[in-house]
Amino acid sequence: MGYITAHDGTNLYVEDVGSGEPIVFLHGWPANNNMFEYQKNALVEAGYRYIGIDFRGYGKSDAPATGYDYETMASDVHMVVYGLGLKDFTLVGFSMGGAIAVRYAADYKEDGLKKLVLAGAAAPIFTQRADYPYGMTTDEVDALIDDTRADRPKMLEGFGEIFFEKEHSKPMQNWFHHLALVASSHGTIASAQALRDEDLRDALPKIDVETLIIHGVHDKICPFAFAEQMEQGISNARIERFEESGHGTVLDEREKFNDTLLQFVQ
């Protein structure tokens, strides 16, 4: 555990636990790497090395005023990979982290990426376009941003209500809510603006590693159509349907998620 410095001097917190083949995790909006607690435990017990990055503005990382676009965040991932000397690693990107994983896989082909997992990824586009009828409208994301500015804890509570398909214990819900509360408010807003505005359709054909797409059939945040669009755009990709999950596959079907991941990285 420690910090890696990004190109602009931002200190990025990295949790590095275990040994063996490295699996790098990129968290969703607006949590931090601790959302993968139950994946970390399973991987370490199976003999893998868990590496979880807190994006800038989240968790224990610095929270600069700028740098929340996908290109910069992918560069941050590159600096962690370079700083730790990783080769032949699997990258797991969840939700916003999945979008950044797509950008990274397309732009940093020489880093040694072996396999890619996109779990409930906010890609190729998070918001609707004239030629892309999937996801939230820009007005809906703008309302989410306005709610963040007005009452961030309440916004997070509402966001949490549509995150999972299954009902989880109140302590578990409180724990997950806390992960988002510790994020910076300006990073939360700037990342939502990136989710609203960025388009990764050009990046999908550039990905040439084996890719597993994990997606909940009942996802209310990143509709299942996202998975189908990614499968069409990435040459070596396949979808694993999570029939009992919403957006939060990591908890809705925790055992299936862990088993599917372990089978894929072997």
Side-chain angles (χ1 to χ4, degrees), residues 38-50:
Y38 299 97
Q39 285 66 54
K40 174 179 65 178
N41 293 342
L43 287 170
V44 171
E45 289 171 5
Y48 289 90
R49 179 182 176 189
Y50 170 90

Side-chain angles (χ1 to χ4, degrees), residues 142-162:
D142 285 341
L144 200 64
I145 292 169
D146 290 342
D147 289 345
T148 304
R149 291 191 173 105
D151 189 338
R152 186 167 65 97
K154 183 178 179 181
M155 180 281 295
L156 292 172
E157 183 178 57
F159 188 72
E161 290 174 353
I162 62 170

Side-chain angles (χ1 to χ4, degrees), residues 126-128 134-142 196:
F126 185 65
T127 51
Q128 297 178 20
Y134 317 111
M136 295 185 182
T137 66
T138 55
D139 287 344
E140 287 172 331
V141 179
D142 285 341
R196 179 193 63 196

